[in-house]
Amino acid sequence: MHEFKVNGMTCAHCVSAVTEEVSALPGVESVHVELVAGGTSTVTVTSSTPLEESALAAAVDEAGYEFVR
């Protein structure tokens, strides 16, 4: 399981965008976003294979949000 923070999400559409991009990574089984509108949201990813932080960051960036280390 991987947990990381994302800045910039404000609504359900934001959650959907991040979930879609992260879910497209190889091995990802589930994505759960705890939305903090206008703040720092927590994203929890369950995967069957190890995920690189750079891949997660790229997926969040592709969705239009800021990956927080």
Side-chain angles (χ1 to χ4, degrees):
M1 185 176 330
H2 304 274
E3 186 174 285
F4 58 92
K5 306 289 185 182
V6 176
N7 283 335
M9 297 194 306
T10 59
C11 63
H13 178 279
C14 302
V15 170
S16 177
V18 169
T19 299
E20 181 179 335
E21 291 297 333
V22 174
S23 292
L25 295 173
V28 171
E29 296 172 346
S30 69
V31 178
H32 173 74
V33 178
E34 185 179 322
L35 178 65
V36 177
T40 302
S41 301
T42 301
V43 180
T44 304
V45 180
T46 302
S47 66
S48 60
T49 60
L51 296 172
E52 296 290 328
E53 184 176 290
S54 60
L56 292 168
V60 170
D61 184 63
E62 182 66 27
Y65 304 96
E66 179 189 359
F67 180 89
V68 180
R69 297 192 192 298

